[in-house]
Amino acid sequence: MGTVLTIVIIVVVLIAAAALLYLYQRRRSGELQQRFGPEYERTLEESGDRRSAERDLRERERRVSRLHITPLSLESARTYRAEWAEVQQSFVDRPAGAVADADRLVLRMMREAGYPVDEFEQRADDVSVAHPDVAMHYREAHRIAVDQARGEADTEDLRRAVTAYRHLVDALLEDSEHIQEQA
């Protein structure tokens, strides 16, 4: 075999390997994008770099896989559903209190389900693994709750917060219902 032929074969193999690597990375990116939806875009925008955003999302998946997250028991789900109805009803008379109550209720539900609740961003990231669409709403609700604590939220903001919290409450309750249906 001649030197030229050897070089051509090496170049072809390298090009093929690069093409396969490119296709593999595109497929992985597509899978993450499909799995995380709007959370993928938010993470990408926040990091400014596709590679680091995707690394962050994969790390979230690994972290959450090590947690012991379990659906709420049927009894707890009933109790939380009733409490949530009270929170929504209380909004009419005390909107700011309803937002604070919703935030506390969500924390209790998450703690019982096994989510670490020490730090908000970590909670939202953890939620994004199973419920990427809900994480966006949870971030919005929390932002408004913080604004409200500073006296910077109006009644419409508070209504949006309660509506956004409802997405997470519903997701946690639905997780419980799916397990109960399978049992």
Side-chain angles (χ1 to χ4, degrees), residues 19-20 36 43 62 72 77 112 117 121 132 137 142 158 164 173:
L20 287 173
F36 282 94
T43 305
R62 279 189 290 278
L72 301 168
E112 186 174 331
V117 296
E121 277 304 320
H137 293 290
H142 182 74
L158 299 175
L173 292 173

Side-chain angles (χ1 to χ4, degrees), residues 4-58:
V4 173
L5 184 57
T6 302
I7 291 172
V8 169
I9 290 172
I10 291 171
V11 168
V12 168
V13 168
L14 289 174
I15 290 172
L20 287 173
L21 179 63
Y22 174 77
L23 291 173
Y24 173 73
Q25 289 174 335
R26 293 281 300 183
R27 192 188 90 226
R28 282 186 62 185
S29 291
E31 288 170 355
L32 282 171
Q33 199 167 11
Q34 185 175 5
R35 176 159 164 51
F36 282 94
E39 187 67 12
Y40 179 93
E41 297 303 323
R42 190 199 68 78
T43 305
L44 179 60
E45 184 178 307
E46 190 175 272
S47 74
D49 172 35
R50 182 173 307 279
R51 245 180 155 173
S52 91
E54 291 179 359
R55 186 174 35 253
D56 177 34
L57 294 171
R58 284 190 301 275

